[in-house]
Amino acid sequence: MQRGLMLITTGAGKGKTTAAMGMALRAVGNGMNVLMLQFLKGSWHYGELDAAKAFTGVGDGDGGSGLGRFEIRQLGRGFVKVGNAETDPADVRMVREGWEEARREILSDKWEMVVLDEINYAISYGFITAVEVAETLKARPERLHVILTGRNASPVLVEMADTVTEMKEVKHAYQKGIQAALGIEY
Ligand code: ATP
Ligand code: MG
């Protein structure tokens, strides 16, 4: 059995969440059970939620279909008003509850891969500390791969990770006034 790896995708360029999703798909195809927990919820209808649901009952992780289980879960309502002086205490509470759920899943031994999407954001805004995340990840099952995404990854976690990729923005369609595109952004 291979030791689980810790990966981080960070930086200002596009592709952090979707890189994690690409690895998730790759793992599911290899019969691994994958959970993706999203700390930040956008207002769009994300196509990947339905795509992951299509795996329900197909990818059961029992080896029958050869596919693993693929579950994407959005935690709470996400936090949208951070950076603003009046961060809603309800948002803080929900991010905390989301983190408790993430902790339980990481330690549960039910998964071969757990993606913590946008957790870096929750850490950089002080909802969760890098130290508590590091402690939980150190205690994870040995085989578990974990992927953390989001801008401004904490140096503590970068130091601890096995693979860290920084997405560099060369250009983005948004700068030309092109709106978020179906299938590309959501
Ligand atoms: P993706 O989900 O496409 O992999 P990401 O996870 O790297 O992107 P986030 O910081 O989570 O990027 O931003 C979420 C949304 O913002 C995405 O829809 C993405 O296309 C868009 N986005 C990412 N980078 C930029 C950028 N440099 N300029 C404008 N929009 C961006
Ligand atoms: Mg993202």
Side-chain angles (χ1 to χ4, degrees), residues 63-95:
S65 64
L67 298 178
R69 203 137 69 87
F70 189 13
E71 204 175 312
I72 302 182
R73 229 181 269 163
Q74 297 193 308
L75 298 171
R77 66 175 182 198
F79 45 101
V80 275
K81 285 187 289 184
V82 287
N84 171 321
E86 354 129 33
T87 299
D88 189 340
D91 282 340
V92 180
R93 202 177 57 241
M94 269 185 284
V95 176

Side-chain angles (χ1 to χ4, degrees), residues 16-17 117-118 149:
K16 300 174 286 294
T17 296
D117 187 40
E118 309 305 344
T149 89

Side-chain angles (χ1 to χ4, degrees), residues 21 24 34-38 46-53 56 69-75 111 115 117:
M21 243 169 250
V34 179
L35 174 67
M36 180 165 197
L37 295 170
Q38 300 191 310
Y46 290 94
E48 59 263 31
L49 295 173
D50 294 333
K53 272 192 209 122
T56 310
R69 203 137 69 87
F70 189 13
E71 204 175 312
I72 302 182
R73 229 181 269 163
Q74 297 193 308
L75 298 171
W111 309 99
V115 179
D117 187 40

Side-chain angles (χ1 to χ4, degrees), residues 1 7 11 16 18 20 27 36 38 46 73 86 96 102 109 134 137 141 156 161 164 174 177:
M1 189 181 68
L7 298 92
K16 300 174 286 294
T18 46
M36 180 165 197
Q38 300 191 310
Y46 290 94
R73 229 181 269 163
E86 354 129 33
R96 292 299 316 175
D109 211 13
L137 296 186
V156 172
V164 179
Y174 181 75

Side-chain angles (χ1 to χ4, degrees), residues 149-163:
T149 89
R151 295 174 186 216
N152 304 318
S154 152
V156 172
L157 298 170
V158 166
E159 169 68 30
M160 188 186 162
D162 300 291
T163 298

